[in-house]
Amino acid sequence: IDWRRVKSVLMLCTISDVYKMVRRYEDSKALLLLAYEKRPGSRMIIYALTELCIKLGDVVQAWEYYKEFCQTAPEDNRKYILLYKIYVAQDVSLEEQIKVLETLKEKEYTERWAYELAYLYHRMGLGEKCVEECDEIILWFGEGRFVRKAMELKMLHKPLTAKQQALYNGERQLEAETGET
């Protein structure tokens, strides 16, 4: 298929996502670049290009797209997610990675990135901070994949409360009944 003839930016982005799902990152990036030519300055496209460059190991290009994303969408909290992913790709110190996720937590509290922060505390040997973060995740979100992971992470440092243990046991039983992991 000659993708240059496709006029729909949305179609190019959709096919790019499909390529990304099957790990054809170069093809995915090529389609995003075509979409970018048709709609320069689209923060969705710039964000996706930044992520793809990180996956492809092209951190220099990822930094360029990251800077453009920050200029295009200075109030978008996803800039912290991109910065964190770049830091991970560059093996930046855990302290710096933690600072980025703490800033993100102040702006927008989501279970995935809260869990990632708790895990970084664990890796740094900050058991008490890890437990506090895990407790916060359990309190705020109550159930789900990252809540379960937070409970398991907390148990490495401190036992769950009776209420947390009951919730954990209930989720484990539900998994066994439904065959989910």
Side-chain angles (χ1 to χ4, degrees), residues 4-122:
R4 290 170 288 164
R5 302 184 99 198
V6 174
K7 296 192 184 331
S8 170
V9 171
L10 183 58
M11 176 63 78
L12 291 171
C13 291
T14 302
I15 301 302
S16 171
D17 286 344
V18 171
Y19 279 144
K20 190 163 65 170
M21 291 163 87
V22 295
R23 292 179 164 65
R24 289 178 57 182
Y25 300 126
E26 290 290 346
D27 293 329
S28 179
K29 184 179 176 185
L31 287 178
L32 279 178
L33 288 171
L34 286 174
Y36 183 72
E37 285 176 23
K38 294 175 186 293
R39 192 171 296 153
S42 166
R43 67 181 174 185
M44 179 190 79
I45 296 170
I46 299 167
Y47 186 91
L49 281 167
T50 308
E51 282 191 318
L52 276 172
C53 287
I54 294 167
K55 284 187 183 300
L56 290 167
D58 188 355
V59 180
V60 173
Q61 189 65 55
W63 273 112
E64 293 302 315
Y65 286 125
Y66 168 76
K67 289 176 195 170
E68 185 175 351
F69 182 80
C70 290
Q71 289 174 345
T72 304
E75 301 300 316
D76 194 323
N77 292 327
R78 293 179 303 161
K79 67 185 175 189
Y80 301 110
I81 296 168
L82 288 177
L83 181 59
Y84 173 72
K85 288 179 177 184
I86 291 171
Y87 277 6
V88 169
Q90 287 190 307
D91 205 23
V92 170
S93 73
L94 294 179
E95 291 91 351
E96 290 300 313
Q97 292 177 36
I98 286 171
K99 285 180 190 175
V100 172
L101 291 181
E102 287 174 339
T103 303
L104 176 61
K105 179 183 173 184
E106 290 172 16
K107 305 281 184 185
E108 182 179 345
Y109 193 58
T110 60
E111 58 210 319
R112 176 182 180 188
W113 301 110
Y115 173 77
E116 192 72 25
L117 178 60
Y119 184 68
L120 288 177
Y121 288 146
H122 167 75

